[in-house]
């Protein structure tokens, strides 16, 4: 281990070798999520009458921002919302659709957006659907009908109803979630692991009867502090292992204590969470003598604490509003560093984490914000997500990293430099994503490139002197990427200078 920093810099050594890889990155690692919650849908993606609204009422300015993220999938319609949702409420003429009370968020749902509107929006936004079925208040039969409505070509009750409602060709959605957070007592229709495992297995069998090629996601633990974790995973997977492809995990990141050093150590807990569930998967696979390989869908993750406690109080007392301002966290520059570390963790675990969804996409704990009747803009966390999504494709590299570290409450030996690397053979690039966690020390890093011939290097940096700096409607670009000057080609590879509390993307042309 290198010595701690002396003066204004610390030293780091990194080796990126073409011979040492983690595996191919599934592009769906950069997925997203939209739930019927707050203003995510209404005045988020959908606002008839807005100057930017298209013929279906979808905001073109939001579509443009989503397309720029290049997010391959979008999970829908929930979230907690899905556990008491009747999907049939969102089909047919909009003027005839019923209003319903949403028990998850104590709001009124107009059902003006349903599967037809969302599917059309997804196509415009350049993303594919990841749909969830209700295994809370409903079950197997409603799930079977929903899949038939969405995917079957025609000639049956549900597929012909889709055709009568204006969509002749099926959407052919491949990825389906079997409920949401069913381990949580807050969930409508919460079940024990045994109850849920049985229902999920039987539902999966029925859906595979419709189409054996579907990819199915079973619910894992809502977070790693759940009292049933990780036994929940073991019980559910033993019941469903032969029928499912992924187990779902969720985690949100908080900094109530306003301690940046501890906050930026939280991805070590994320890494441990992934490693533990990967071990449970291997245990169940071995116990069942199975050749099947289940992997992880980390389909809810983000920073969530800025307004969380206040909003929890508001939800308990308000009187069923429609599309209220709810969970609209305003992200700061400190959150850029956190989101960068989270994404790096997913890249380093991309052999087992094949799908991940930032929660959520618009307005609700989201990288994109809108004002009703007004503009849309990028929050600070939009940028690290966009850079990783666009440049973090191809093969994840197994980097060797030697850098000083610190001990935190959540883990010991947290490296001051958080770094991940990818090799995109199609583009002819090697990309490093580097976060300097230190508040006052720059990091001087030597990066050896073994098996890679570098022709040029480009440095993109996100940095601000104020950790609390935000992007607002009035100042939408206060925190944004700029061209850096901290990357140079050296003798064995690269020489990097990474300023204190900074996010860097270093792209090497090979």
């Amino acid at each position: 281990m290198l010595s701690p920093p002396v003066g204004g810099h610390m030293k780091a050594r990194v080796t990126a070798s073409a011979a040492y890889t983690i595996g191919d990155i599934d592009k769906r690692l950069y997925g997203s999520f939209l739930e019927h919650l707050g203003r995510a849908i209404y005045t988020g993606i959908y606002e008839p009458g807005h100057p930017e609204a298209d013929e279906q009422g979808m905001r073109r300015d939001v579509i443009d921002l989503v397309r720029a993220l290049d997010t391959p999938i979008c999970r829908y319609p929930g979230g907690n919302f899905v556990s008491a949702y009747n999907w049939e409420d969102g089909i047919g003429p909009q003027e005839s659709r019923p209003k319903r009370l949403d028990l998850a968020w104590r709001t009124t749902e107009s059902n003006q957006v349903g599967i037809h509107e969302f599917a059309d929006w997804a196509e415009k936004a350049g993303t594919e659907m990841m749909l969830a079925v209700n295994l809370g208040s409903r079950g197997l039969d409603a799930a079977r009908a929903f899949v038939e409505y969405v995917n079957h070509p025609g000639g049956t009750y549900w597929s012909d109803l889709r055709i009568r409602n204006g969509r002749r060709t099926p959407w052919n959605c491949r990825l389906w979630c079997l409920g949401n957070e069913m381990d949580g007592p807050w969930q409508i229709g919460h079940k024990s692991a045994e109850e849920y495992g049985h229902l999920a297995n039987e539902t999966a069998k029925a859906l595979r009867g419709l189409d054996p090629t579907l990819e199915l996601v079973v619910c894992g633990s809502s977070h790693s502090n759940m009292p049933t974790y990780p036994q929940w995973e073991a019980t559910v997977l033993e019941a469903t292992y032969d029928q499912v492809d992924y187990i779902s995990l969720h985690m949100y990141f908080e900094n109530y204590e306003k301690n940046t050093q501890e906050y930026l150590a939280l991805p070590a807990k994320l890494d441990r969470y992934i490693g533990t569930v990967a071990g449970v998967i291997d245990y169940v696979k071995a116990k069942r003598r199975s050749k099947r390989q289940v992997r992880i869908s980390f389909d809810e993750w983000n920073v969530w604490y800025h307004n969380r406690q206040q909003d929890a109080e508001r939800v308990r007392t308000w009187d069923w509003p429609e599309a209220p301002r709810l969970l609209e966290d305003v992200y700061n520059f400190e959150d850029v560093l956190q989101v960068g570390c989270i994404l790096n963790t997913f890249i380093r675990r991309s052999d087992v984490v094949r799908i991940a969804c930032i929660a959520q996409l618009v307005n609700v704990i989201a990288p994109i914000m809108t004002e009703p009747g007004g503009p849309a803009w990028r929050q600070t966390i939009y940028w690290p997500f966009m850079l990783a999504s666009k440049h973090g494709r191809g093969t994840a590299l197994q980097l060797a990293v030697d850098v000083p570290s610190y001990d935190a409450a959540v883990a010991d030996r947290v490296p001051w430099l958080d770094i991940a690397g990818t090799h995109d053979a199609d583009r002819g690039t090697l990309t490093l994503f580097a976060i300097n966690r230190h508040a006052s020390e720059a990091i001087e890093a030597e990066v050896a490139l073994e098996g890679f011939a570098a022709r040029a290097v480009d440095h993109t940096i996100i940095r601000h002197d104020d950790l609390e700096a935000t992007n607002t409607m009035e100042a939408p670009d206060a925190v944004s990427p700029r061209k850096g000057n901290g990357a140079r080609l050296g003798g064995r590879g690269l020489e990097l200078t990474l300023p204190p509390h900074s996010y860097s993307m270093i792209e090497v042309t090979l």
Side-chain angles (χ1 to χ4, degrees):
M1 178 63 66
L2 291 169
S3 60
V6 177
H9 296 80
M10 74 173 78
K11 299 292 185 180
R13 288 194 294 264
V14 180
T15 300
S17 172
Y20 295 98
T21 63
I22 296 167
D24 292 339
I25 297 169
D26 190 320
K27 65 180 182 179
R28 297 175 298 180
L29 198 69
Y30 307 108
S32 57
F33 175 36
L34 278 170
E35 180 175 356
H36 284 250
L37 194 176
R39 296 193 309 114
I41 303 296
Y42 306 108
T43 73
I45 66 169
Y46 177 78
E47 189 178 348
H50 189 279
E52 289 284 341
D54 65 14
E55 68 284 354
Q56 289 179 300
M58 298 299 177
R59 288 185 57 155
R60 293 187 183 92
D61 53 350
V62 174
I63 288 172
D64 289 343
L65 290 175
V66 174
R67 290 190 71 89
L69 282 177
D70 196 12
T71 177
I73 57 166
C74 187
R75 180 170 171 251
Y76 173 87
N80 292 352
F81 172 80
V82 79
S83 290
Y85 177 56
N86 300 332
W87 68 268
E88 305 94 323
D89 292 343
I91 62 175
Q94 287 176 303
E95 64 274 13
S96 302
R97 296 179 188 176
K99 288 189 174 184
R100 302 284 191 193
L101 298 181
D102 170 30
L103 304 181
W105 303 106
R106 197 177 168 83
T107 56
T108 299
E109 171 56 46
S110 70
N111 283 303
Q112 292 304 287
V113 171
I115 181 59
H116 286 260
E117 292 78 18
F118 178 73
D120 289 346
W121 174 87
E123 185 175 356
K124 295 172 185 177
T127 190
E128 295 182 1
M129 297 188 295
M130 177 183 186
L131 296 178
V133 300
N134 175 359
L135 294 189
S137 66
R138 304 184 81 184
L140 186 158
D141 203 47
R144 177 183 60 82
F146 191 20
V147 175
E148 184 179 323
Y149 186 90
V150 170
N151 283 1
H152 197 67
T156 67
Y157 174 81
W158 290 112
S159 59
D160 286 348
L161 181 58
R162 180 197 70 242
I163 293 169
R164 289 198 298 275
N165 285 332
R167 174 74 184 197
R168 173 158 293 280
T169 58
W171 290 293
N172 196 29
C173 177
R174 311 316 302 154
L175 192 54
W176 292 82
C177 302
L178 303 176
N180 174 76
E181 292 185 353
M182 299 309 300
D183 63 323
W186 59 84
Q187 201 73 204
I188 303 298
H190 161 66
K191 294 169 176 62
S192 69
E194 291 78 9
E195 292 169 330
Y196 171 69
H198 177 73
L199 174 59
N201 187 62
E202 294 305 310
T203 303
K205 284 162 56 180
L207 300 189
R208 293 209 180 281
L210 289 170
D211 183 350
T213 69
L214 296 178
E215 294 182 87
L216 303 179
V217 185
V218 72
C219 291
S221 294
S222 303
H223 54 78
S224 60
N225 293 332
M226 291 295 292
T228 52
Y229 162 82
Q231 184 59 52
W232 173 277
E233 279 78 6
T235 302
V236 169
L237 282 175
E238 286 194 34
T240 64
Y241 197 88
D242 293 332
Q243 297 295 338
V244 302
D245 302 283
Y246 305 95
I247 186 162
S248 149
L249 302 181
H250 296 171
M251 184 173 177
Y252 293 98
F253 296 76
E254 304 165 349
N255 189 20
Y256 290 113
E257 303 302 321
K258 297 298 181 182
N259 185 322
T260 301
Q261 192 166 303
E262 292 289 340
Y263 178 51
L264 296 182
L266 288 174
K269 182 178 181 180
L270 168 64
D271 185 75
R272 192 163 60 239
Y273 186 18
I274 294 167
T276 298
V277 175
V280 174
I281 293 171
D282 287 345
Y283 162 75
V284 176
K285 180 180 179 180
K287 184 176 180 181
R288 297 184 68 88
R289 309 298 194 267
S290 177
K291 293 182 179 180
R292 187 181 191 83
Q293 184 59 60
V294 172
R295 292 184 170 87
I296 291 171
S297 172
F298 217 108
D299 47 42
E300 284 188 35
W301 70 268
N302 205 345
V303 172
W304 181 16
Y305 76 94
H306 293 283
N307 295 332
R308 190 170 186 171
Q309 293 173 332
Q310 305 93 302
D311 284 346
E313 292 298 321
R314 292 170 60 226
V315 169
R316 279 193 282 269
T317 58
W318 64 23
D319 190 22
W320 308 100
E322 284 191 41
R325 292 182 183 267
L326 178 61
L327 311 188
E328 297 192 9
D329 277 27
V330 176
Y331 292 113
N332 57 31
F333 170 64
E334 183 183 54
D335 300 324
V336 170
L337 305 178
Q338 180 66 280
V339 167
C341 290
I342 296 165
L343 289 163
N344 278 359
T345 305
F346 290 148
I347 290 171
R348 292 191 295 262
R349 287 287 192 171
S350 56
D351 56 335
V352 63
V353 180
R354 304 299 287 168
I355 298 167
C357 302
I358 191 169
Q360 295 188 17
L361 190 55
V362 184
N363 286 330
V364 175
I365 49 174
I368 298 169
M369 292 296 293
T370 71
E371 181 64 21
W377 65 97
R378 305 169 185 87
Q379 290 231 63
T380 62
I381 64 169
Y382 180 98
W383 295 112
F385 186 86
M386 186 200 78
L387 291 173
S389 176
K390 284 186 169 295
H391 300 272
R393 306 290 178 98
T395 301
L397 298 175
Q398 185 69 63
L399 302 179
V401 183
D402 189 6
V403 66
S405 60
Y406 67 96
D407 291 346
V410 72
D412 292 337
R413 297 170 66 85
V414 178
W416 288 110
L417 171 63
D418 188 292
I419 189 166
T422 63
H423 172 218
D424 191 331
D426 293 336
R427 295 179 62 235
T429 56
L430 183 154
T431 306
L432 301 173
F433 303 96
I435 296 91
N436 183 350
R437 288 183 166 107
H438 204 285
S440 59
E441 305 287 347
I443 295 176
E444 298 283 357
E446 296 179 0
V447 183
L449 302 180
E450 298 181 352
F452 297 109
R455 289 197 297 111
V457 61
D458 187 62
H459 182 200
T460 299
I461 189 169
I462 309 175
R463 190 169 186 275
H464 202 286
D465 290 335
D466 181 6
L467 287 173
E468 298 294 329
T470 62
N471 291 346
T472 64
M473 181 169 58
E474 296 76 21
D477 299 315
V479 177
S480 57
R482 59 180 172 82
K483 187 172 179 58
N485 57 8
R488 303 162 296 282
L489 292 179
R492 292 186 59 207
L494 304 175
E495 297 173 354
L496 308 179
T497 300
L498 308 173
H501 278 168
S502 63
Y503 172 96
S504 292
M505 183 186 78
I506 301 97
E507 187 164 76
V508 180
T509 303
L510 302 174

